[in-house]
Amino acid sequence: MSPLDRIANVTTLKQHDVDKLYKVEHKPIVSTSDQLCFLIRPRIKTVKWICDVVNADKAFGRFRRYKIIFSPQKFYACENLLEEQGIFGDVTTDEWSFYLLPLDDDIISLELPEFFRDYFLEGDQRWVRTAGSALHLLHSVYGPFSKVYGIGRCSKMAYESWREQVEEGEQRALQAEIGNVFLIDRDVDLVTPLCSQVVYEGLVDDIFRIKCGCVEFCPDVTSSDKSIKVMLNSQDKVFNEIRNEHFSQVFGFLSQKARNLQTAYDKRSGMDIKQMKTFVSEELKGLKQEHRLLSLHIGASESMMKKKTKQDFQELLKTEHSLLEGFEIRECISYIEEHINRQVSMVESMRLLCLLSLTENGLLPKDYRSLKAQFLQSYGIEHLLTFSNLKQLGLLVEQQPGETLTVMESRVGKLVNDKTAGQIQAGPNTVTVFNTGWVPMPLMYLIQAGLGPNTVTVFNTGRVPILLLYLIQAGINNKWDTIMKWNDISWIFQTFLKVCGCTFSEISALRFLGREKGLKFIVVTTAITNSARLLESMLDNHA
């Protein structure tokens, strides 16, 4: 519903004779219309529900016209099910080739949050061609890419799918507008999305859930009796100035902004009629809009501060930092046990367990059994399958005798060394520099890379997302211009296709790096993710 609303809202659809819109909820349809159109993802469960709807109508002798539009593409398995259920001749099918949705001037999303679970957990590779088609669309609009770098099996397959489509399609001579493309699998770094986000945009996403570029602020934020949907992008001038700031800096900025706004209002006093007319026609509307946005973001900040204070956010960050640095582990385990036994939040408890496992080379058998038992007692025995899912992904595992590398080091090392998954094109080898999927961040790394100390505020709990290590290593080795080859093109985009999700913290870091180096980074992702979304997709009852 959210991607559709960004393209054609309810008003637009009604102008094109759409009577009513219903969300797919797998229950009987109550509609008097003689035409039903289903816009769906190509999922067996959803197609089966449509078959039940059609067969129920046929049983009651009701005639309707049915159309199924699959987005972004239809799969043979779905059409085969229509035939098995005996309604293949009763429906017509089509495709909405929806590959990329611009969420902002530097974020493009495929809006496929199911990509991560389907590929990494279920082994379902059908979305890989969709990612390849997204690359092909970028290529066809912006011309050839100077270089493509990749790490991970999924990235390699997406690259190969794109190359096939390029070879099959019509070749057009276009000026190259995109410099380098980096394809990175999400499982190369599973620690970053499991850490608390501390930039403003990341916190808004964690608490209020940014969906398709929009957020719904509750009455607690709006100081009214109703919620308000707000588009969060660079067009919101207040949001654009605070989105990448560490949360501790936001209140000071908003306070100064409020004082400036009041000063702008106060200058009305003493104006003559002509000046007042100019002020009303040229400035007042903009000031009122800025005042409205400022009120919303102040309300959001206050609401987040209350929630984080209630959850003892500083203690949580301290525990995360200890896990990432590898000290006071027994104290961390005690904190996690308290978190579980108080039933603070199931997803939060699961997140901390996964962080502990990833940073400690798995849990000691006695700790694994104890923590698992406490979790199931607190949140329900039905999560046995969730533990199985987490284990399959390597997110929550028992430590095996004789292991010395962390789970992340083992996974990343395998990705780099395995020739079948190897890099698409030899590029800066981040892993040999840092040797792990997550990096405690001595400031010297950033200083050597030519970055300032303020960079620290971009990252959560003092660590570098692996997404940036390609670029940081280039700076450390003083090979920035050589590796990136800026001089080939006078104006250049750098594109990151983050396969299976990207966090707002990673995007904030890229924006900072872009400002430092005078570059424009475009982030293309299968979906915006965070710890809650990633772990909720692992729940045993996930649809």
Side-chain angles (χ1 to χ4, degrees), residues 297-331:
H297 291 298
I298 289 174
S301 297
E302 289 175 339
S303 178
M304 288 190 291
M305 184 65 75
K306 289 176 187 175
K307 287 183 173 68
K308 289 304 181 185
T309 302
K310 188 176 180 181
Q311 295 171 5
D312 200 3
F313 191 44
Q314 290 302 320
E315 189 65 27
L316 178 64
L317 289 181
K318 180 184 174 184
T319 301
E320 288 183 21
H321 187 76
S322 296
L323 289 173
L324 294 169
E325 295 290 346
F327 61 86
E328 298 179 346
I329 299 304
R330 297 320 302 179
E331 288 83 349

PDB file of all heavy atoms in Angstrom, residues 297-331:
ATOM      1  N   HIS A 297       9.142  18.113  14.888  1.00  0.00           N
ATOM      2  CA  HIS A 297      10.418  17.483  15.220  1.00  0.00           C
ATOM      3  C   HIS A 297      10.803  17.708  16.684  1.00  0.00           C
ATOM      4  O   HIS A 297      11.463  16.846  17.279  1.00  0.00           O
ATOM      5  CB  HIS A 297      11.508  17.980  14.268  1.00  0.00           C
ATOM      6  CG  HIS A 297      11.339  17.483  12.864  1.00  0.00           C
ATOM      7  ND1 HIS A 297      11.384  16.148  12.546  1.00  0.00           N
ATOM      8  CD2 HIS A 297      11.085  18.139  11.697  1.00  0.00           C
ATOM      9  CE1 HIS A 297      11.185  15.996  11.238  1.00  0.00           C
ATOM     10  NE2 HIS A 297      11.001  17.190  10.712  1.00  0.00           N
ATOM     11  N   ILE A 298      10.386  18.830  17.255  1.00  0.00           N
ATOM     12  CA  ILE A 298      10.590  19.017  18.695  1.00  0.00           C
ATOM     13  C   ILE A 298       9.753  18.010  19.467  1.00  0.00           C
ATOM     14  O   ILE A 298      10.228  17.369  20.415  1.00  0.00           O
ATOM     15  CB  ILE A 298      10.230  20.461  19.115  1.00  0.00           C
ATOM     16  CG1 ILE A 298      11.277  21.441  18.570  1.00  0.00           C
ATOM     17  CG2 ILE A 298      10.145  20.564  20.635  1.00  0.00           C
ATOM     18  CD1 ILE A 298      10.944  22.899  18.811  1.00  0.00           C
ATOM     19  N   GLY A 299       8.494  17.822  19.036  1.00  0.00           N
ATOM     20  CA  GLY A 299       7.625  16.838  19.672  1.00  0.00           C
ATOM     21  C   GLY A 299       8.170  15.422  19.543  1.00  0.00           C
ATOM     22  O   GLY A 299       8.138  14.635  20.500  1.00  0.00           O
ATOM     23  N   ALA A 300       8.703  15.100  18.358  1.00  0.00           N
ATOM     24  CA  ALA A 300       9.277  13.767  18.132  1.00  0.00           C
ATOM     25  C   ALA A 300      10.505  13.562  19.018  1.00  0.00           C
ATOM     26  O   ALA A 300      10.696  12.492  19.608  1.00  0.00           O
ATOM     27  CB  ALA A 300       9.649  13.592  16.662  1.00  0.00           C
ATOM     28  N   SER A 301      11.346  14.583  19.114  1.00  0.00           N
ATOM     29  CA  SER A 301      12.553  14.476  19.940  1.00  0.00           C
ATOM     30  C   SER A 301      12.194  14.281  21.409  1.00  0.00           C
ATOM     31  O   SER A 301      12.807  13.466  22.110  1.00  0.00           O
ATOM     32  CB  SER A 301      13.413  15.738  19.781  1.00  0.00           C
ATOM     33  OG  SER A 301      13.851  15.878  18.445  1.00  0.00           O
ATOM     34  N   GLU A 302      11.207  15.038  21.893  1.00  0.00           N
ATOM     35  CA  GLU A 302      10.784  14.895  23.290  1.00  0.00           C
ATOM     36  C   GLU A 302      10.222  13.506  23.551  1.00  0.00           C
ATOM     37  O   GLU A 302      10.509  12.878  24.580  1.00  0.00           O
ATOM     38  CB  GLU A 302       9.730  15.963  23.623  1.00  0.00           C
ATOM     39  CG  GLU A 302      10.299  17.372  23.701  1.00  0.00           C
ATOM     40  CD  GLU A 302       9.227  18.419  23.902  1.00  0.00           C
ATOM     41  OE1 GLU A 302       8.048  18.127  23.589  1.00  0.00           O
ATOM     42  OE2 GLU A 302       9.552  19.536  24.353  1.00  0.00           O
ATOM     43  N   SER A 303       9.407  13.006  22.600  1.00  0.00           N
ATOM     44  CA  SER A 303       8.818  11.676  22.752  1.00  0.00           C
ATOM     45  C   SER A 303       9.895  10.594  22.770  1.00  0.00           C
ATOM     46  O   SER A 303       9.855   9.669  23.591  1.00  0.00           O
ATOM     47  CB  SER A 303       7.835  11.408  21.598  1.00  0.00           C
ATOM     48  OG  SER A 303       7.280  10.121  21.694  1.00  0.00           O
ATOM     49  N   MET A 304      10.896  10.724  21.877  1.00  0.00           N
ATOM     50  CA  MET A 304      11.987   9.750  21.835  1.00  0.00           C
ATOM     51  C   MET A 304      12.826   9.805  23.102  1.00  0.00           C
ATOM     52  O   MET A 304      13.258   8.778  23.628  1.00  0.00           O
ATOM     53  CB  MET A 304      12.864   9.990  20.594  1.00  0.00           C
ATOM     54  CG  MET A 304      12.189   9.599  19.292  1.00  0.00           C
ATOM     55  SD  MET A 304      13.312   9.596  17.875  1.00  0.00           S
ATOM     56  CE  MET A 304      13.642  11.337  17.684  1.00  0.00           C
ATOM     57  N   MET A 305      13.042  11.014  23.600  1.00  0.00           N
ATOM     58  CA  MET A 305      13.828  11.161  24.827  1.00  0.00           C
ATOM     59  C   MET A 305      13.127  10.469  26.004  1.00  0.00           C
ATOM     60  O   MET A 305      13.760   9.787  26.813  1.00  0.00           O
ATOM     61  CB  MET A 305      14.031  12.646  25.130  1.00  0.00           C
ATOM     62  CG  MET A 305      14.921  12.892  26.343  1.00  0.00           C
ATOM     63  SD  MET A 305      16.615  12.329  26.096  1.00  0.00           S
ATOM     64  CE  MET A 305      17.239  13.610  25.019  1.00  0.00           C
ATOM     65  N   LYS A 306      11.800  10.633  26.089  1.00  0.00           N
ATOM     66  CA  LYS A 306      11.038   9.980  27.160  1.00  0.00           C
ATOM     67  C   LYS A 306      11.144   8.466  27.065  1.00  0.00           C
ATOM     68  O   LYS A 306      11.363   7.772  28.051  1.00  0.00           O
ATOM     69  CB  LYS A 306       9.564  10.394  27.088  1.00  0.00           C
ATOM     70  CG  LYS A 306       9.289  11.827  27.487  1.00  0.00           C
ATOM     71  CD  LYS A 306       7.814  12.163  27.287  1.00  0.00           C
ATOM     72  CE  LYS A 306       7.556  13.641  27.532  1.00  0.00           C
ATOM     73  NZ  LYS A 306       6.147  13.991  27.226  1.00  0.00           N
ATOM     74  N   LYS A 307      10.995   7.955  25.841  1.00  0.00           N
ATOM     75  CA  LYS A 307      11.047   6.500  25.647  1.00  0.00           C
ATOM     76  C   LYS A 307      12.436   5.963  25.965  1.00  0.00           C
ATOM     77  O   LYS A 307      12.582   4.918  26.616  1.00  0.00           O
ATOM     78  CB  LYS A 307      10.657   6.144  24.214  1.00  0.00           C
ATOM     79  CG  LYS A 307       9.171   6.296  23.912  1.00  0.00           C
ATOM     80  CD  LYS A 307       8.874   5.842  22.504  1.00  0.00           C
ATOM     81  CE  LYS A 307       7.368   5.810  22.223  1.00  0.00           C
ATOM     82  NZ  LYS A 307       6.753   7.140  22.186  1.00  0.00           N
ATOM     83  N   LYS A 308      13.463   6.660  25.501  1.00  0.00           N
ATOM     84  CA  LYS A 308      14.819   6.172  25.714  1.00  0.00           C
ATOM     85  C   LYS A 308      15.231   6.292  27.180  1.00  0.00           C
ATOM     86  O   LYS A 308      15.980   5.460  27.689  1.00  0.00           O
ATOM     87  CB  LYS A 308      15.812   6.926  24.816  1.00  0.00           C
ATOM     88  CG  LYS A 308      15.683   6.582  23.335  1.00  0.00           C
ATOM     89  CD  LYS A 308      15.826   5.092  23.098  1.00  0.00           C
ATOM     90  CE  LYS A 308      15.719   4.711  21.636  1.00  0.00           C
ATOM     91  NZ  LYS A 308      15.751   3.244  21.432  1.00  0.00           N
ATOM     92  N   THR A 309      14.766   7.327  27.871  1.00  0.00           N
ATOM     93  CA  THR A 309      15.055   7.456  29.292  1.00  0.00           C
ATOM     94  C   THR A 309      14.378   6.337  30.063  1.00  0.00           C
ATOM     95  O   THR A 309      14.959   5.720  30.964  1.00  0.00           O
ATOM     96  CB  THR A 309      14.570   8.823  29.817  1.00  0.00           C
ATOM     97  OG1 THR A 309      15.209   9.859  29.080  1.00  0.00           O
ATOM     98  CG2 THR A 309      14.902   8.981  31.295  1.00  0.00           C
ATOM     99  N   LYS A 310      13.139   6.041  29.678  1.00  0.00           N
ATOM    100  CA  LYS A 310      12.392   4.969  30.328  1.00  0.00           C
ATOM    101  C   LYS A 310      13.084   3.622  30.129  1.00  0.00           C
ATOM    102  O   LYS A 310      13.093   2.760  31.013  1.00  0.00           O
ATOM    103  CB  LYS A 310      10.970   4.924  29.762  1.00  0.00           C
ATOM    104  CG  LYS A 310      10.033   3.980  30.478  1.00  0.00           C
ATOM    105  CD  LYS A 310       8.634   4.078  29.894  1.00  0.00           C
ATOM    106  CE  LYS A 310       7.681   3.132  30.610  1.00  0.00           C
ATOM    107  NZ  LYS A 310       6.313   3.199  30.049  1.00  0.00           N
ATOM    108  N   GLN A 311      13.673   3.420  28.965  1.00  0.00           N
ATOM    109  CA  GLN A 311      14.342   2.153  28.657  1.00  0.00           C
ATOM    110  C   GLN A 311      15.799   2.137  29.140  1.00  0.00           C
ATOM    111  O   GLN A 311      16.513   1.175  28.928  1.00  0.00           O
ATOM    112  CB  GLN A 311      14.322   1.909  27.140  1.00  0.00           C
ATOM    113  CG  GLN A 311      12.937   1.716  26.568  1.00  0.00           C
ATOM    114  CD  GLN A 311      12.941   1.692  25.050  1.00  0.00           C
ATOM    115  OE1 GLN A 311      13.989   1.735  24.417  1.00  0.00           O
ATOM    116  NE2 GLN A 311      11.767   1.625  24.448  1.00  0.00           N
ATOM    117  N   ASP A 312      16.226   3.215  29.797  1.00  0.00           N
ATOM    118  CA  ASP A 312      17.614   3.319  30.251  1.00  0.00           C
ATOM    119  C   ASP A 312      18.567   3.132  29.075  1.00  0.00           C
ATOM    120  O   ASP A 312      19.386   2.207  29.025  1.00  0.00           O
ATOM    121  CB  ASP A 312      17.904   2.296  31.347  1.00  0.00           C
ATOM    122  CG  ASP A 312      19.130   2.688  32.174  1.00  0.00           C
ATOM    123  OD1 ASP A 312      19.699   3.780  31.925  1.00  0.00           O
ATOM    124  OD2 ASP A 312      19.522   1.898  33.028  1.00  0.00           O
ATOM    125  N   PHE A 313      18.453   4.044  28.130  1.00  0.00           N
ATOM    126  CA  PHE A 313      19.158   3.944  26.863  1.00  0.00           C
ATOM    127  C   PHE A 313      20.679   3.938  27.049  1.00  0.00           C
ATOM    128  O   PHE A 313      21.402   3.214  26.354  1.00  0.00           O
ATOM    129  CB  PHE A 313      18.734   5.114  25.963  1.00  0.00           C
ATOM    130  CG  PHE A 313      19.182   4.987  24.531  1.00  0.00           C
ATOM    131  CD1 PHE A 313      19.060   3.789  23.846  1.00  0.00           C
ATOM    132  CD2 PHE A 313      19.721   6.084  23.862  1.00  0.00           C
ATOM    133  CE1 PHE A 313      19.453   3.678  22.518  1.00  0.00           C
ATOM    134  CE2 PHE A 313      20.116   5.975  22.533  1.00  0.00           C
ATOM    135  CZ  PHE A 313      19.985   4.778  21.867  1.00  0.00           C
ATOM    136  N   GLN A 314      21.169   4.737  27.985  1.00  0.00           N
ATOM    137  CA  GLN A 314      22.612   4.802  28.195  1.00  0.00           C
ATOM    138  C   GLN A 314      23.178   3.459  28.650  1.00  0.00           C
ATOM    139  O   GLN A 314      24.251   3.043  28.222  1.00  0.00           O
ATOM    140  CB  GLN A 314      22.946   5.893  29.231  1.00  0.00           C
ATOM    141  CG  GLN A 314      22.706   7.307  28.731  1.00  0.00           C
ATOM    142  CD  GLN A 314      23.501   7.631  27.470  1.00  0.00           C
ATOM    143  OE1 GLN A 314      24.655   7.239  27.339  1.00  0.00           O
ATOM    144  NE2 GLN A 314      22.873   8.336  26.545  1.00  0.00           N
ATOM    145  N   GLU A 315      22.430   2.773  29.512  1.00  0.00           N
ATOM    146  CA  GLU A 315      22.884   1.453  29.966  1.00  0.00           C
ATOM    147  C   GLU A 315      22.895   0.457  28.814  1.00  0.00           C
ATOM    148  O   GLU A 315      23.790  -0.406  28.704  1.00  0.00           O
ATOM    149  CB  GLU A 315      21.963   0.962  31.086  1.00  0.00           C
ATOM    150  CG  GLU A 315      22.454  -0.288  31.795  1.00  0.00           C
ATOM    151  CD  GLU A 315      23.747  -0.083  32.563  1.00  0.00           C
ATOM    152  OE1 GLU A 315      24.019   1.067  32.990  1.00  0.00           O
ATOM    153  OE2 GLU A 315      24.494  -1.075  32.726  1.00  0.00           O
ATOM    154  N   LEU A 316      21.904   0.584  27.941  1.00  0.00           N
ATOM    155  CA  LEU A 316      21.839  -0.284  26.764  1.00  0.00           C
ATOM    156  C   LEU A 316      23.030  -0.043  25.847  1.00  0.00           C
ATOM    157  O   LEU A 316      23.680  -0.985  25.374  1.00  0.00           O
ATOM    158  CB  LEU A 316      20.527  -0.034  26.016  1.00  0.00           C
ATOM    159  CG  LEU A 316      20.299  -0.822  24.724  1.00  0.00           C
ATOM    160  CD1 LEU A 316      20.222  -2.314  25.009  1.00  0.00           C
ATOM    161  CD2 LEU A 316      19.047  -0.337  24.010  1.00  0.00           C
ATOM    162  N   LEU A 317      23.340   1.230  25.589  1.00  0.00           N
ATOM    163  CA  LEU A 317      24.486   1.565  24.735  1.00  0.00           C
ATOM    164  C   LEU A 317      25.791   1.090  25.352  1.00  0.00           C
ATOM    165  O   LEU A 317      26.692   0.622  24.648  1.00  0.00           O
ATOM    166  CB  LEU A 317      24.542   3.079  24.493  1.00  0.00           C
ATOM    167  CG  LEU A 317      23.473   3.685  23.589  1.00  0.00           C
ATOM    168  CD1 LEU A 317      23.693   5.183  23.443  1.00  0.00           C
ATOM    169  CD2 LEU A 317      23.458   3.032  22.222  1.00  0.00           C
ATOM    170  N   LYS A 318      25.889   1.214  26.665  1.00  0.00           N
ATOM    171  CA  LYS A 318      27.093   0.751  27.349  1.00  0.00           C
ATOM    172  C   LYS A 318      27.270  -0.758  27.157  1.00  0.00           C
ATOM    173  O   LYS A 318      28.385  -1.245  26.913  1.00  0.00           O
ATOM    174  CB  LYS A 318      27.000   1.078  28.844  1.00  0.00           C
ATOM    175  CG  LYS A 318      28.205   0.628  29.650  1.00  0.00           C
ATOM    176  CD  LYS A 318      28.008   0.903  31.138  1.00  0.00           C
ATOM    177  CE  LYS A 318      29.159   0.319  31.952  1.00  0.00           C
ATOM    178  NZ  LYS A 318      28.940   0.494  33.407  1.00  0.00           N
ATOM    179  N   THR A 319      26.176  -1.506  27.253  1.00  0.00           N
ATOM    180  CA  THR A 319      26.240  -2.958  27.051  1.00  0.00           C
ATOM    181  C   THR A 319      26.653  -3.287  25.621  1.00  0.00           C
ATOM    182  O   THR A 319      27.513  -4.150  25.392  1.00  0.00           O
ATOM    183  CB  THR A 319      24.874  -3.596  27.359  1.00  0.00           C
ATOM    184  OG1 THR A 319      24.521  -3.310  28.712  1.00  0.00           O
ATOM    185  CG2 THR A 319      24.912  -5.103  27.153  1.00  0.00           C
ATOM    186  N   GLU A 320      26.065  -2.595  24.643  1.00  0.00           N
ATOM    187  CA  GLU A 320      26.443  -2.814  23.245  1.00  0.00           C
ATOM    188  C   GLU A 320      27.928  -2.528  23.036  1.00  0.00           C
ATOM    189  O   GLU A 320      28.631  -3.294  22.366  1.00  0.00           O
ATOM    190  CB  GLU A 320      25.612  -1.910  22.331  1.00  0.00           C
ATOM    191  CG  GLU A 320      24.161  -2.318  22.202  1.00  0.00           C
ATOM    192  CD  GLU A 320      23.424  -1.415  21.231  1.00  0.00           C
ATOM    193  OE1 GLU A 320      24.092  -0.764  20.401  1.00  0.00           O
ATOM    194  OE2 GLU A 320      22.187  -1.362  21.298  1.00  0.00           O
ATOM    195  N   HIS A 321      28.392  -1.427  23.611  1.00  0.00           N
ATOM    196  CA  HIS A 321      29.792  -1.053  23.436  1.00  0.00           C
ATOM    197  C   HIS A 321      30.717  -2.118  24.042  1.00  0.00           C
ATOM    198  O   HIS A 321      31.734  -2.484  23.451  1.00  0.00           O
ATOM    199  CB  HIS A 321      30.048   0.302  24.091  1.00  0.00           C
ATOM    200  CG  HIS A 321      31.417   0.845  23.831  1.00  0.00           C
ATOM    201  ND1 HIS A 321      31.775   1.404  22.627  1.00  0.00           N
ATOM    202  CD2 HIS A 321      32.530   0.893  24.604  1.00  0.00           C
ATOM    203  CE1 HIS A 321      33.036   1.785  22.671  1.00  0.00           C
ATOM    204  NE2 HIS A 321      33.518   1.487  23.860  1.00  0.00           N
ATOM    205  N   SER A 322      30.345  -2.635  25.198  1.00  0.00           N
ATOM    206  CA  SER A 322      31.139  -3.685  25.840  1.00  0.00           C
ATOM    207  C   SER A 322      31.195  -4.934  24.973  1.00  0.00           C
ATOM    208  O   SER A 322      32.244  -5.570  24.832  1.00  0.00           O
ATOM    209  CB  SER A 322      30.560  -4.030  27.214  1.00  0.00           C
ATOM    210  OG  SER A 322      30.645  -2.928  28.097  1.00  0.00           O
ATOM    211  N   LEU A 323      30.060  -5.294  24.379  1.00  0.00           N
ATOM    212  CA  LEU A 323      30.022  -6.465  23.503  1.00  0.00           C
ATOM    213  C   LEU A 323      30.925  -6.270  22.295  1.00  0.00           C
ATOM    214  O   LEU A 323      31.674  -7.180  21.906  1.00  0.00           O
ATOM    215  CB  LEU A 323      28.588  -6.734  23.049  1.00  0.00           C
ATOM    216  CG  LEU A 323      27.618  -7.260  24.104  1.00  0.00           C
ATOM    217  CD1 LEU A 323      26.199  -7.313  23.553  1.00  0.00           C
ATOM    218  CD2 LEU A 323      28.031  -8.639  24.590  1.00  0.00           C
ATOM    219  N   LEU A 324      30.878  -5.084  21.700  1.00  0.00           N
ATOM    220  CA  LEU A 324      31.674  -4.821  20.501  1.00  0.00           C
ATOM    221  C   LEU A 324      33.165  -4.751  20.811  1.00  0.00           C
ATOM    222  O   LEU A 324      34.002  -5.133  19.989  1.00  0.00           O
ATOM    223  CB  LEU A 324      31.219  -3.516  19.842  1.00  0.00           C
ATOM    224  CG  LEU A 324      29.795  -3.540  19.261  1.00  0.00           C
ATOM    225  CD1 LEU A 324      29.348  -2.151  18.872  1.00  0.00           C
ATOM    226  CD2 LEU A 324      29.714  -4.467  18.070  1.00  0.00           C
ATOM    227  N   GLU A 325      33.490  -4.270  21.991  1.00  0.00           N
ATOM    228  CA  GLU A 325      34.896  -4.179  22.373  1.00  0.00           C
ATOM    229  C   GLU A 325      35.398  -5.465  23.029  1.00  0.00           C
ATOM    230  O   GLU A 325      36.604  -5.651  23.192  1.00  0.00           O
ATOM    231  CB  GLU A 325      35.110  -3.002  23.334  1.00  0.00           C
ATOM    232  CG  GLU A 325      34.828  -1.644  22.708  1.00  0.00           C
ATOM    233  CD  GLU A 325      35.866  -1.260  21.659  1.00  0.00           C
ATOM    234  OE1 GLU A 325      36.923  -1.924  21.624  1.00  0.00           O
ATOM    235  OE2 GLU A 325      35.622  -0.331  20.887  1.00  0.00           O
ATOM    236  N   GLY A 326      34.485  -6.341  23.445  1.00  0.00           N
ATOM    237  CA  GLY A 326      34.872  -7.628  23.999  1.00  0.00           C
ATOM    238  C   GLY A 326      35.315  -7.603  25.444  1.00  0.00           C
ATOM    239  O   GLY A 326      36.193  -8.373  25.830  1.00  0.00           O
ATOM    240  N   PHE A 327      34.722  -6.735  26.259  1.00  0.00           N
ATOM    241  CA  PHE A 327      35.074  -6.743  27.675  1.00  0.00           C
ATOM    242  C   PHE A 327      33.808  -6.730  28.533  1.00  0.00           C
ATOM    243  O   PHE A 327      32.725  -6.395  28.052  1.00  0.00           O
ATOM    244  CB  PHE A 327      35.998  -5.569  28.043  1.00  0.00           C
ATOM    245  CG  PHE A 327      35.404  -4.199  27.807  1.00  0.00           C
ATOM    246  CD1 PHE A 327      34.610  -3.585  28.776  1.00  0.00           C
ATOM    247  CD2 PHE A 327      35.637  -3.524  26.628  1.00  0.00           C
ATOM    248  CE1 PHE A 327      34.071  -2.325  28.566  1.00  0.00           C
ATOM    249  CE2 PHE A 327      35.099  -2.261  26.402  1.00  0.00           C
ATOM    250  CZ  PHE A 327      34.315  -1.660  27.368  1.00  0.00           C
ATOM    251  N   GLU A 328      33.949  -7.130  29.804  1.00  0.00           N
ATOM    252  CA  GLU A 328      32.839  -7.215  30.762  1.00  0.00           C
ATOM    253  C   GLU A 328      31.693  -8.065  30.211  1.00  0.00           C
ATOM    254  O   GLU A 328      30.515  -7.724  30.337  1.00  0.00           O
ATOM    255  CB  GLU A 328      32.334  -5.819  31.131  1.00  0.00           C
ATOM    256  CG  GLU A 328      33.377  -4.961  31.821  1.00  0.00           C
ATOM    257  CD  GLU A 328      32.867  -3.571  32.167  1.00  0.00           C
ATOM    258  OE1 GLU A 328      31.795  -3.184  31.644  1.00  0.00           O
ATOM    259  OE2 GLU A 328      33.533  -2.872  32.942  1.00  0.00           O
ATOM    260  N   ILE A 329      32.042  -9.196  29.603  1.00  0.00           N
ATOM    261  CA  ILE A 329      31.045 -10.040  28.950  1.00  0.00           C
ATOM    262  C   ILE A 329      30.068 -10.639  29.971  1.00  0.00           C
ATOM    263  O   ILE A 329      28.864 -10.725  29.705  1.00  0.00           O
ATOM    264  CB  ILE A 329      31.726 -11.152  28.131  1.00  0.00           C
ATOM    265  CG1 ILE A 329      32.604 -10.538  27.033  1.00  0.00           C
ATOM    266  CG2 ILE A 329      30.680 -12.083  27.518  1.00  0.00           C
ATOM    267  CD1 ILE A 329      31.883  -9.604  26.095  1.00  0.00           C
ATOM    268  N   ARG A 330      30.578 -11.053  31.160  1.00  0.00           N
ATOM    269  CA  ARG A 330      29.668 -11.627  32.156  1.00  0.00           C
ATOM    270  C   ARG A 330      28.646 -10.589  32.602  1.00  0.00           C
ATOM    271  O   ARG A 330      27.464 -10.911  32.803  1.00  0.00           O
ATOM    272  CB  ARG A 330      30.439 -12.136  33.377  1.00  0.00           C
ATOM    273  CG  ARG A 330      31.434 -13.267  33.141  1.00  0.00           C
ATOM    274  CD  ARG A 330      30.991 -14.341  32.183  1.00  0.00           C
ATOM    275  NE  ARG A 330      29.738 -14.998  32.576  1.00  0.00           N
ATOM    276  CZ  ARG A 330      29.155 -15.954  31.871  1.00  0.00           C
ATOM    277  NH1 ARG A 330      29.701 -16.369  30.730  1.00  0.00           N
ATOM    278  NH2 ARG A 330      28.046 -16.505  32.276  1.00  0.00           N
ATOM    279  N   GLU A 331      29.076  -9.322  32.739  1.00  0.00           N
ATOM    280  CA  GLU A 331      28.142  -8.258  33.101  1.00  0.00           C
ATOM    281  C   GLU A 331      27.106  -8.059  31.986  1.00  0.00           C
ATOM    282  O   GLU A 331      25.927  -7.814  32.260  1.00  0.00           O
ATOM    283  CB  GLU A 331      28.888  -6.950  33.361  1.00  0.00           C
ATOM    284  CG  GLU A 331      29.684  -6.921  34.654  1.00  0.00           C
ATOM    285  CD  GLU A 331      31.055  -7.560  34.518  1.00  0.00           C
ATOM    286  OE1 GLU A 331      31.322  -8.221  33.468  1.00  0.00           O
ATOM    287  OE2 GLU A 331      31.864  -7.436  35.454  1.00  0.00           O
TER     288      GLU A 331
END
